[in-house]
Amino acid sequence: MKWAYKVFVYLLLWLIPGIILAIPSIGILYSPTTESYYTKPTYDNIIRGVLSVLDYGKLEYEVINTSKVTSIPDNIKVLIDPSNGAISDSEINLVESYLMKGGKLIACYESGLKDAQAKNRSNFAYSKFLGVKFVSWDSGKYFVMKPTQTGVSVFKTDKNIPLSRGFTFVIDLTQNATPLAIWYTKDGKISNEKYPAAAVLSPFGVYFGENIFLQTSTNDELKSLVLNTIGYLLEEPISNVNPVFYLKASLDEKIATFETRLLESRKKIPKTQLYKMQEMLWEIKDASKKASDLSELKKLQKMVDLLEIQLLPQYNVQLRGIWFDSYAIRDCETPEKLRKQIRELHELGFNAIFPEVIYKGMTISPKISRFPQDPAFQD
């Protein structure tokens, strides 16, 4: 009767949704690329900070290892990027695809600011979604986050939140972003009059200028603030996405990154090639402003990709060859002795061998020529 019991249980789960086991709606983006960049002990410490928040709030969650998935699961409504500072293009595509479906993201500190080789990008990878623009890194005066009016509704507190390190990534805001908190010094002054934002809300999520997850383990006020942020985003409707707008923003970032690399490489490139690449880039930028559909923008992205290939390092390798005539090959007597001779030539610094495989109208092997085989090599 075990089968009947199983059928009864499945029917019960289907008829009474309230008893269905909870499916996690919160994901933690685990990046092996960032783990290598930070080192495992440091990255584990950051992850523990995230877990301390979710365990404190008794929330179900799923750890999403970017090396083991091809997409963010559909059940994930809020994705936490715990300052994944160095991420690959494939990891960015993973998150962007999730955001393009209307998902929400919590990011902080240097999330997506470096590529897989730990080289700085011109902007945060998710800047077009989170409404922030990288300005600089700063320290020494960013010790208190003071919620704005919008911040009070998101964080569910009007209390100042003290942070211990005094670090932040200084950010500028784009038109779709709203400040959630302002940075203050220990003595109550605004830390940065021009760029005061400590946390930002956009239709796609929240960004914190400091690595809050390095401090949540010992700061219950900060835990509550993050939990309330998660709760707020879970209740928000799915974002309306304009693919053309975001693809155009991606193209603009790609162009800006290439311009920086081109400037850095200008002394290594022949002038004629440099001028040609600059002219092509100007044409792409002009076309980007006029582009109005996805196919046009994708073509322009491919054109930038082709330009980037031209900046790849080209190495000059010295050719050190030796002519290996049929008598030298014959003197080796056996294939093993021939292999030994080739190894010795390699150790002497030769990197190319030009064997004489046809001599006096005869070949050393019938497999490489239609000429008759030299009797000396028939054995």
Side-chain angles (χ1 to χ4, degrees), residues 189-209:
K189 297 178 182 178
I190 294 179
S191 304
N192 189 322
E193 292 285 350
K194 189 175 181 180
Y195 303 110
V200 175
L201 173 69
S202 83
F204 291 91
V206 172
Y207 171 81
F208 293 92

Side-chain angles (χ1 to χ4, degrees), residues 262 273-284:
L262 187 61
Q273 183 185 354
L274 179 64
Y275 294 150
K276 190 175 180 180
M277 292 173 75
Q278 286 176 330
E279 186 177 345
M280 190 173 177
L281 187 62
W282 292 333
E283 290 175 2
I284 292 171

Side-chain angles (χ1 to χ4, degrees), residues 247-263:
L247 191 56
K248 186 172 282 191
S250 292
L251 178 59
D252 289 343
E253 287 181 12
K254 198 175 188 71
I255 289 171
T257 300
F258 177 76
E259 281 184 309
T260 301
R261 290 186 60 201
L262 187 61
L263 187 64

Side-chain angles (χ1 to χ4, degrees), residues 295-322:
S295 61
E296 289 179 74
L297 291 167
K298 287 178 180 178
K299 285 180 183 177
L300 293 172
Q301 281 193 329
K302 286 182 180 179
M303 290 173 70
V304 180
D305 289 338
L306 291 173
L307 285 175
E308 287 178 333
I309 289 171
Q310 294 184 49
L311 291 183
L312 292 174
Q314 298 179 5
Y315 301 101
N316 294 321
V317 179
Q318 185 183 44
L319 180 66
R320 297 182 297 277
I322 185 170

Side-chain angles (χ1 to χ4, degrees), residues 321-364:
I322 185 170
W323 173 252
F324 210 49
D325 65 33
S326 61
Y327 287 100
I329 298 172
R330 186 187 305 169
D331 289 343
C332 289
E333 297 180 349
T334 65
E336 180 53 38
K337 288 182 179 179
L338 178 61
R339 283 191 285 268
K340 182 181 178 183
Q341 180 69 66
I342 292 171
R343 283 195 294 269
E344 288 175 355
L345 289 170
H346 173 69
E347 290 169 2
L348 289 170
F350 292 100
N351 58 16
I353 294 176
F354 302 96
E356 185 183 47
V357 295
I358 297 174
Y359 177 66
K360 291 184 177 181
M362 292 183 290
T363 179
I364 66 172

Side-chain angles (χ1 to χ4, degrees), residues 12-13 16-21:
L12 196 62
L13 291 172
I16 311 175
I19 69 168
I20 295 177
L21 294 175

Side-chain angles (χ1 to χ4, degrees), residues 4-24:
Y5 175 75
K6 287 182 179 179
V7 170
F8 171 74
V9 170
Y10 290 143
L11 283 172
L12 196 62
L13 291 172
W14 179 68
L15 291 170
I16 311 175
I19 69 168
I20 295 177
L21 294 175
I23 299 174

